[in-house]
Every structure is written in C-alpha cells, then in structure tokens.
Amino acid sequence: MSRRRTVILEAAARAVAQRGIRGLRVEELAEDAGVSTSLIYYHFQDRAGLLTHTLEFISTRAEQYTEPATDPETDPRGHLEEMLLLELQDTPVVIENSTAWGELRATAVFQPELREHLHTATARWTDYAADLIDRAQRHGSVPPGTSAEDAADRLTALVEGLSKRWLSGTLPLDRARELLRGALTAELGPRP
C-alpha cells in the first residue's frame, strides 16, 4: 500500500472514530490527510469505496496489535485468550480502532453495501478463533465436546459488546477484561 493511501486511511479511521460516519466529510478528510479530494476519489472512487477500504484497514491494524506473544502451536488456548484480551487495551490505537469498528458495524445496519466487507472481516476473526479452539481441543486444554465455531462466535461477539460498553463509559476496562476472562473459562472450561 502506498504511503499516501495509508495516510488517507489513517485519517479516515481517525475521523470515523472521532465524528462517526455521518460526520465523515471527504473535504475535511483531505485536509486532515494533507491531500486533495481528487486524490481520495482517485484511490477510492467514492465514499462507499473509502468506507470499505477503511474497514479493511481497521481490521488489518487490529490484527497487528492483537498479535499475542504466546505461540499458537504450543499453546493455542493461551494464544486465543491473549488475542481476545488485547482487544481491550487503553491505548490510542486500540481506542480509535475499536470506536471506528463499532461505528462501521452500526452503520452496516443502514448501509447494506458495507455488510459483505464487514462479514468477511468478522469471519476472518471468528474463523481464526475457531481454529485455535480446535487446536486447543487437540492439545487437551479445551474439552472435546465444545463447538469451536459456536464458542468463537460467542467470544468475539462478547469482545465487541464489552468494548462498546467500555468505550461508552458504562463499564470500566478492568471489569471488561475480568468478564472476558470469566467467559473464556465458561466457554472453554477451566485450564487443565
């Protein structure tokens, strides 16, 4: 990805997190990114294209800051737990990303053109979580009767919900992380 394109997407993610999608103005975005509006339209064709690429950018950036130190081959359950807990960090990039993700998810209710891209990004996350749960079952750290797909869907949906409550000020971050740890035990059983 070119540096200019990255700068535009960083500015778009920041704008969505700060002002919401309704507050995203291409002219203001161009000014924030230090580029012309025509360059934005050149790279993304239209506002819908810009939103789609912003969603992909946010998803990719989340994969970078949620990369656990725990090895998925030797401790897939630990890798999963760490990956999910890293979604709940009090850092500027996580706050911005999580806020923008929530805004894009909410907007997809009213803008169907975002749904397919949101579905793809969500599926990539939940499929990876399900794969880690499958591996953890083979390693003996998750009971064999656990549905990996169901548990992955519930856990990732919970992370999104906890994130919204934390970011909206209705749940302290420590409590959100505590609830997630409890849910991991409830879904996957106690660690052996």
Side-chain angles (χ1 to χ4, degrees):
M1 181 180 315
S2 75
R3 180 68 192 139
R4 285 232 167 136
R5 191 175 169 96
T6 300
V7 167
I8 293 167
L9 291 171
E10 287 170 345
R14 190 170 44 254
V16 169
Q18 291 173 352
R19 298 185 297 270
I21 291 186
R22 290 185 182 149
L24 179 65
R25 305 283 179 265
V26 175
E27 297 77 21
E28 291 174 9
L29 174 61
E31 187 177 321
D32 290 348
V35 300
S36 67
T37 56
S38 60
L39 186 63
I40 292 174
Y41 287 116
Y42 170 78
H43 281 292
F44 305 105
Q45 282 72 48
D46 55 20
R47 192 168 189 277
L50 175 63
L51 290 176
T52 297
H53 284 87
T54 301
L55 174 64
E56 292 168 5
F57 173 79
I58 289 167
S59 182
T60 300
R61 190 164 65 171
E63 290 171 5
Q64 294 166 359
Y65 66 71
T66 60
E67 183 57 38
T70 308
D71 183 3
E73 299 304 319
T74 59
D75 187 4
R77 179 177 174 154
H79 185 87
L80 171 70
E81 291 173 355
E82 189 178 349
M83 176 185 79
L84 295 177
L85 285 162
L86 285 170
E87 288 283 352
L88 300 170
Q89 299 180 65
D90 192 11
T91 63
V93 71
V94 174
I95 291 168
E96 180 180 285
N97 234 48
S98 295
T99 302
W101 177 267
E103 176 69 10
L104 286 160
R105 181 168 297 286
T107 300
V109 172
F110 305 104
Q111 293 184 6
E113 64 273 10
L114 283 176
R115 291 178 190 167
E116 180 182 337
H117 300 286
L118 190 62
H119 173 76
T120 300
T122 302
R124 190 167 65 227
W125 186 31
T126 56
D127 289 350
Y128 185 58
D131 178 61
L132 289 168
I133 295 168
D134 276 336
R135 287 193 230 175
Q137 287 174 318
R138 290 192 297 275
H139 279 83
S141 59
V142 171
T146 302
S147 168
E149 292 79 20
D150 291 352
D153 276 332
R154 284 190 293 266
L155 288 169
T156 56
L158 177 64
V159 168
E160 287 186 15
L162 291 171
S163 178
K164 302 303 162 287
R165 288 191 179 188
W166 161 53
L167 292 169
S168 67
T170 59
L171 186 68
L173 178 58
D174 290 343
R175 179 70 175 141
R177 292 176 65 85
E178 177 187 330
L179 289 168
L180 179 55
R181 284 186 186 96
L184 284 159
T185 300
E187 282 292 336
L188 308 177
R191 269 190 167 280

